[in-house]
Amino acid sequence: MQKHKTLRYSAVAFAVAAALSGAPARADVTDADILNDAKTTGDVVSFGLGTQGQRYSPATQINTKTVKNLVPVWSMSFGGEKQRGQESQPVIHNGKMFVTASYSRLFAIDAKSGKKLWKYEHRLPDGIMPCCDVINRGAALYGNLVIFATLDAQLVALNQDTGKVVWKEKLDDYKAGYSATAAPIIAKGKLITGVSGGEFGVVGRIDARDPMTGKLLWTRPTVEGHMGYTFDKEGNKTENGISGTTNATWSGDLWQTGGAATWNGATYDPETNLIFAGTGNPAPWNSHLRPGDNLFSSSTVAIDADTGKIAWHYQNTPHDGWDFDGVNEFVSFDFKDPKTGKVVKAGGKADRNGFFFVNDRTNGKLLNVFPFVKKITWATGYDMATGRPLYTADGRPGDPNAGDGKKGNSVFSAPSFLGGKNQQQIAYSQQTGLFYVPANEWGMDIWNEPVSYKKGAAYLGAGFTIKALHDDYIGALRAVDPATGKIVWENKNYAPLWGGVLTTAGGLVFYGTPEGYLKGVDAKTGKELWSFQTGTGIVAPPVTWEQDGEQMIAVTTGWGGAVPLWGGDVAKRVNYLEQGGSVWVFKLHKS
């Protein structure tokens, strides 16, 4: 082949040159690839199968008639002694699968054969303080980079082909309780990340970075009273407005360690150019120490992707006293208002507090709200005019200072603080118009205690014991109608459901159970059509894509997460479940 002088190839020229040389063409992940992820079937380049988070695939090869023929193709173990919970969603591009694992590891795998191509193990320091297991939920793809967050609150970008570190940036100080577990997303060419650590008095926020360099573009705190900033190319920062109004809904100085961690990441809607972040509990849990609504905790916050400014917010649990958070994902969809018949740009959210919310995603207006669990004790519903909950009298844990100063009155509350739904992701079917929610039925005894902030120490001011509400089940996969609030069908499960959901145009819903089963059910009826025992609990969301003309299903397996650590009586009930750490891939058997 004739030699040429060095040229700066365009993507087309690179592909032509690679083809002529016999080398495989490298196709970088572009903004267009990410925007079209929900519509294309050849890869999965974003968390949520599209930044809107619907987890819906238009693929139909695996359907209600053929799913019975689904068989395993390969499985790859993460190996070693670093098992624990595996909550990662794989991303697949250019014949490679990228999947994160416990203890801040990342694997590149040949998507066709299951062969490990390379592995990156982040060196974690002593003294990290992850709240809820050493998990990681996945990576972002951009250009030729694969980017993920680590338990010591760093971001690492690796070359997709070699696994070599391209850049590394610090999110925050792990010694102050910061960590990171969520999968980043790409929104309009920006890398969007949150932070974990609400149980340690951190200050939640959403950051936007240049994905190719890791340099900050803007940062938006999600606790009222803190300043946002934008950054120029040299890293110089400019004030970008205070979040809310100082002391408007926080008395005193507790807002300075106010929590509202954005530990579950974000979604992005290109139609409105808004980033939607769920925010966690206010700190401390003892709500009597912080009178007021405590914005922007336990809320959905909509942030302009260009400016980093808050466009609107909706607080799901004002003055949260139960650790309900509001961090659950906000999933964009088109909602037909049953009252007016008009189609509204909306978002759906199954909140930890047990209620399902439908909000106008352009302005945050509450369109519908209904319970998706059977027992809720802290509120009887919501006032649609104000959007505020109707609190139950005496439903809040008591003030320690009203008694002996050591322990407030204990109350029984449902759901438990682990939530009607926690990190496990919902899915929305464009085919059925239903949301599929992995729900849990449990309650807790909870009481408040005195507490003061100390850097790096747990900042709760509460005690609790979680209890199952029923002998025969805790988890229930539920299909809910966002317009009527009706539970269309449910599949009960003995152990809590802690893994996400996938739905497809093949009329199917896939989800995993802690007992180790990956299941495929009819999206309209919930009838189980297929299952496979993976050998360890599933606490991660499945994905699907097409490879060499065949539709594939993949899921990460490995029991763990918050339930074994925080579950109280529930943890004892499921202590027979075994840990693990693998990726399983399936396709249809050819007869």
Side-chain angles (χ1 to χ4, degrees):
M1 184 176 173
Q2 185 179 357
K3 294 182 179 180
H4 297 274
K5 294 181 180 179
T6 301
L7 298 173
R8 178 176 288 181
Y9 287 111
S10 66
V12 174
F14 184 92
V16 171
L20 290 173
S21 66
R26 191 193 85 194
D28 287 355
V29 176
T30 66
D31 290 304
D33 293 331
I34 293 166
L35 284 175
N36 292 323
D37 198 25
K39 300 175 183 177
T40 57
T41 57
D43 52 19
V44 178
V45 296
S46 61
F47 188 77
L49 281 75
T51 59
Q52 290 182 320
Q54 291 187 354
R55 298 188 174 275
Y56 171 81
S57 171
T60 58
Q61 189 180 101
I62 300 172
N63 54 53
T64 54
K65 294 181 179 179
T66 63
V67 69
K68 63 181 183 293
N69 299 320
L70 205 58
V71 295
V73 180
W74 57 259
S75 177
M76 195 211 80
S77 171
F78 296 142
E81 298 177 356
K82 296 178 178 179
Q83 300 296 327
R84 305 287 289 269
Q86 311 294 345
E87 295 182 358
S88 176
Q89 179 215 287
V91 284
I92 302 101
H93 177 69
N94 209 28
K96 301 183 185 72
M97 174 185 289
F98 302 94
V99 59
T100 59
S102 54
Y103 292 97
S104 302
R105 294 173 291 167
L106 192 149
F107 293 80
I109 309 167
D110 185 300
K112 189 171 184 179
S113 67
K115 177 184 177 182
K116 182 178 73 177
L117 301 175
W118 53 258
K119 174 176 67 172
Y120 171 81
E121 292 195 68
H122 188 70
R123 181 174 292 180
L124 292 168
D126 294 333
I128 57 170
M129 292 175 283
C131 147
C132 306
D133 207 358
V134 289
I135 58 89
N136 189 280
R137 296 191 183 90
L141 300 179
Y142 196 73
N144 195 37
L145 300 179
V146 52
I147 309 163
F148 80 118
T150 66
L151 286 167
D152 61 341
Q154 293 193 56
L155 288 171
V156 183
L158 305 155
N159 182 287
Q160 291 181 16
D161 299 318
T162 66
K164 292 183 177 179
V165 175
V166 176
W167 60 257
K168 188 183 294 185
E169 290 288 335
K170 180 180 177 180
L171 278 167
D172 220 302
D173 182 8
Y174 73 88
K175 294 180 181 178
Y178 285 89
S179 58
T181 54
I185 63 166
I186 302 292
K188 208 172 182 181
K190 300 176 180 68
L191 178 72
I192 307 300
T193 58
V195 293
S196 303
E199 273 61 57
F200 299 94
V202 306
V203 174
R205 67 176 196 270
I206 290 290
D207 292 341
R209 295 173 185 265
D210 182 332
M212 303 308 294
T213 66
K215 300 304 180 185
L216 270 169
L217 301 174
W218 54 254
T219 183
R220 172 52 51 192
T222 52
V223 176
E224 178 184 86
H226 292 269
M227 180 64 70
Y229 296 93
T230 55
F231 298 82
D232 62 21
K233 293 180 179 180
E234 287 72 39
N236 302 310
K237 66 181 183 181
T238 303
E239 291 183 352
N240 194 20
I242 291 177
S243 298
T245 303
T246 306
N247 288 139
T249 65
W250 289 82
S251 60
D253 60 1
L254 263 70
W255 60 275
Q256 296 181 36
T257 51
T262 49
W263 59 261
N264 210 27
T267 58
Y268 170 67
D269 173 43
E271 292 184 4
T272 58
N273 195 37
L274 292 175
I275 295 160
F276 303 109
T279 63
N281 58 281
W285 288 17
N286 182 347
S287 62
H288 298 281
L289 294 175
R290 43 173 175 78
D293 283 353
N294 310 136
L295 289 175
F296 295 92
S297 66
S298 300
S299 300
T300 299
V301 179
I303 302 171
D304 185 289
D306 294 327
T307 67
K309 293 184 177 181
I310 295 175
W312 60 259
H313 74 275
Y314 175 79
Q315 193 166 33
N316 305 86
T317 313
H319 198 213
D320 186 354
W322 303 267
D323 186 43
F324 282 147
D325 285 27
V327 80
N328 308 68
E329 68 279 15
F330 185 82
V331 178
S332 296
F333 76 110
D334 291 335
F335 173 72
K336 187 175 182 179
D337 192 321
K339 298 177 182 177
T340 64
K342 294 182 179 180
V343 176
V344 181
K345 288 182 172 64
K349 177 178 180 178
D351 198 274
R352 268 171 65 171
N353 68 20
F355 288 95
F356 192 100
F357 297 85
V358 180
N359 294 85
D360 186 319
R361 68 179 186 265
T362 67
N363 57 26
K365 179 184 177 182
L366 184 63
L367 301 174
N368 199 12
V369 58
F370 54 87
F372 66 91
V373 294
K374 301 292 180 68
K375 189 175 182 65
I376 297 176
T377 64
W378 70 277
T380 58
Y382 279 73
D383 183 322
M384 291 299 297
T386 65
R388 296 181 66 83
L390 303 171
Y391 293 108
T392 302
D394 301 322
R396 184 179 297 273
D399 184 355
N401 291 327
D404 60 8
K406 296 180 181 179
K407 180 179 177 180
N409 289 335
S410 177
V411 299
F412 178 78
S413 181
S416 79
F417 73 84
L418 289 177
K421 190 193 82 70
N422 198 282
Q423 66 86 26
Q424 62 271 26
Q425 300 82 10
I426 62 177
Y428 172 76
S429 172
Q430 298 175 17
Q431 190 177 66
T432 66
L434 302 176
F435 278 92
Y436 301 96
V437 182
N440 288 307
E441 298 282 354
W442 42 20
M444 62 180 173
D445 291 325
I446 182 170
W447 58 91
N448 286 326
E449 301 167 346
V451 68
S452 57
Y453 174 78
K454 181 181 178 181
K455 180 181 176 180
Y459 190 38
L460 300 185
F464 48 83
T465 302
I466 295 179
K467 302 176 180 180
L469 298 178
H470 308 282
D471 292 333
D472 58 333
Y473 80 103
I474 298 174
L477 181 69
R478 290 178 172 139
V480 301
D481 186 327
T484 66
K486 179 183 177 182
I487 297 175
V488 178
W489 57 258
E490 68 174 4
N491 288 344
K492 295 178 180 178
N493 195 75
Y494 178 74
L497 291 181
W498 209 255
V501 183
L502 166 71
T503 186
T504 75
L508 295 168
V509 172
F510 289 92
Y511 70 106
T513 73
E515 292 89 345
Y517 289 98
L518 180 63
K519 298 186 176 188
V521 305
D522 188 304
K524 293 181 180 178
T525 67
K527 181 182 178 181
E528 187 174 313
L529 303 175
W530 173 87
S531 70
F532 180 84
Q533 173 57 254
T534 66
T536 180
I538 299 173
V539 292
V543 295
T544 188
W545 77 103
E546 290 180 353
Q547 180 175 284
D548 298 330
E550 297 180 291
Q551 186 181 352
M552 319 294 286
I553 302 286
V555 71
T556 306
T557 66
W559 169 240
V563 176
L565 298 175
W566 292 78
D569 291 349
V570 169
K572 296 175 184 177
R573 175 165 157 167
V574 294
N575 64 5
Y576 67 93
L577 297 172
E578 300 293 343
Q579 292 185 334
S582 298
V583 182
W584 285 85
V585 172
F586 305 84
K587 69 177 182 180
L588 294 176
H589 174 68
K590 292 183 178 180
S591 57

